[in-house]
Amino acid sequence: MGACLEGVLQGHGYHTTISESYGRFSNVLQFIVRRRFDLVILTNTSIPPVHIPSIVPEIKARHPQGRIIVLSGYFSESYAEDLKQKGIDEFFPLPFEEDALLGEVARLLSNPAN
């Protein structure tokens, strides 16, 4: 999934850095908190859906101005709402629509975080 997202985003002029955990989400969290970023896209293809709600507050605490999008094949209304309450900016179910994701990325990066 990381390579797919990287290709889509770089193809539209965005600078990207990919970190995939394959079950070791603490490695991704350490990677994120040590760097400056404008947007993080979390996916459940390498981070189990059960761990995403715990990683979001950590990211927001260390980077309050950072924007977060979650892409997940597991979703329910309550799961997505819980993630939004924890600080994500947008949730997309997998498979995602490329145009919708690109539109949201452009919107988030053009508007300062609250």
Side-chain angles (χ1 to χ4, degrees), residues 78-96:
S78 62
Y79 182 73
E81 186 58 37
D82 180 51
L83 290 172
K84 287 181 180 180
Q85 288 178 1
K86 291 182 185 310
I88 71 164
D89 296 283
E90 191 57 66
F91 179 91
F92 286 97
L94 291 175
F96 66 91

Side-chain angles (χ1 to χ4, degrees), residues 4 7 10 16 23 27 34 36 53 61 65 71 75 78 83 89 93 95 100:
C4 174
Q10 286 183 350
T16 62
N27 293 345
R34 291 184 183 147
R36 184 194 174 286
Q65 299 303 311
L71 305 176
F75 62 93
S78 62
L83 290 172
D89 296 283

Side-chain angles (χ1 to χ4, degrees), residues 1-5 17-25 27-28 31 43 45-47:
M1 176 63 79
C4 174
L5 284 171
T17 302
I18 304 298
S19 176
E20 296 181 302
S21 69
Y22 304 106
R24 299 188 60 161
F25 76 97
N27 293 345
V28 171
F31 179 84
T43 72
T45 58
S46 63
I47 301 172

Side-chain angles (χ1 to χ4, degrees), residues 25 28-35 37-43 47 51-70 86-89:
F25 76 97
V28 171
L29 182 58
Q30 290 173 9
F31 179 84
I32 290 169
V33 300
R34 291 184 183 147
R35 286 158 179 81
F37 63 86
D38 297 311
L39 172 69
V40 171
I41 300 177
L42 298 171
T43 72
I47 301 172
H51 294 305
I52 293 175
S54 64
I55 200 171
V56 169
E58 290 286 329
I59 295 168
K60 290 306 274 185
R62 295 170 195 235
H63 300 286
Q65 299 303 311
R67 310 309 287 268
I68 301 173
I69 294 175
V70 172
K86 291 182 185 310
I88 71 164
D89 296 283

